[in-house]
Amino acid sequence: MGVAVGVPTPQELGAAEAEGKTGSLGIALARLEDAVNWGRSNSVWPLLFGLACCAIEQIAAGMPRFDIARFGSEVFRASPRQADLLIVSGRVSNKMAPVIKRIYDQMSYPKWVIAMGDCASCGGPFNNYAIIQGVDKILPVDVYVPGCPPRPEALLFALTQLQKKIRAEEKLGIRE
Ligand code: SF4
């Protein structure tokens, strides 16, 4: 006598129950976008780059007391081609702007930008002809961090906000 296909036998049910008790999930289903975004959000590699006083707080974020490694971002890359996060930590002078733009252009896709501190976000206390009033005049900024300077915890919070944003990306292609 045959057994109906698709109907689990009592033995199979028992085995499934036992498997459940071991914590084994069996099969997990996910959208490709969610899986890729999850991987990307947990391996954001910042560029080894700083502009002014805010960069000291950025450096502190990588030290053991704050430990940016908890978020998978401890690998500060010295080459823009190996980095996907630009943390603009400091004031952006007119003279430096084309250099920053070139560095951003050399970074690999997909890439993100954090404007760290008041100077990078809006010019800060330097309302004069030499300083660009916010790096978003030349680059697309994903997260702004207020403060002069922001504490390392604020940068880590910005990183978690960026991770949330990456996980919610609907398209995997190059951003416009
Ligand atoms: S925001 Fe304050 S600490 Fe940061 S670069 Fe500007 S002046 Fe320096």
Side-chain angles (χ1 to χ4, degrees), residues 8-165:
T9 63
Q11 289 83 3
E12 284 172 337
L13 281 174
E17 210 172 276
E19 193 175 294
K21 285 180 184 166
T22 64
S24 169
L25 289 176
I27 301 172
L29 298 177
R31 293 191 315 153
L32 177 64
E33 288 86 349
D34 292 339
V36 171
N37 287 342
W38 176 82
R40 282 178 176 168
S41 66
N42 287 297
S43 58
V44 178
W45 290 0
L47 185 68
L48 189 64
F49 170 81
L51 283 173
C53 4
C54 277
I56 305 299
E57 303 294 322
Q58 179 192 336
I59 294 165
M63 295 292 109
R65 183 182 176 117
F66 300 100
D67 194 12
I68 202 171
R70 289 176 291 157
F71 306 97
S73 296
E74 75 279 20
V75 189
F76 280 82
R77 305 305 303 190
S79 164
R81 298 180 206 286
Q82 298 168 353
D84 51 12
L85 172 62
L86 181 62
I87 302 174
V88 184
S89 49
R91 50 196 166 270
V92 180
S93 65
N94 278 316
K95 211 168 182 180
M96 197 65 187
V99 179
I100 296 172
K101 182 76 172 70
R102 177 179 291 190
I103 288 172
Y104 176 80
D105 289 343
Q106 288 177 339
M107 286 167 60
S108 47
Y109 280 101
K111 51 192 169 185
W112 302 279
V113 177
I114 291 179
M116 181 181 181
D118 290 353
C119 286
S121 299
C122 62
F126 302 101
N127 186 8
N128 62 48
Y129 64 90
I131 302 297
I132 291 191
Q133 300 300 296
V135 71
D136 55 6
K137 301 271 190 295
I138 56 169
L139 301 180
V141 173
D142 295 282
V143 184
Y144 298 84
V145 189
C148 176
R151 296 260 317 153
E153 293 95 331
L155 179 60
L156 296 181
F157 180 68
L159 187 57
T160 60
Q161 295 303 302
L162 180 64
Q163 287 180 320
K164 268 191 200 169
K165 187 174 179 183

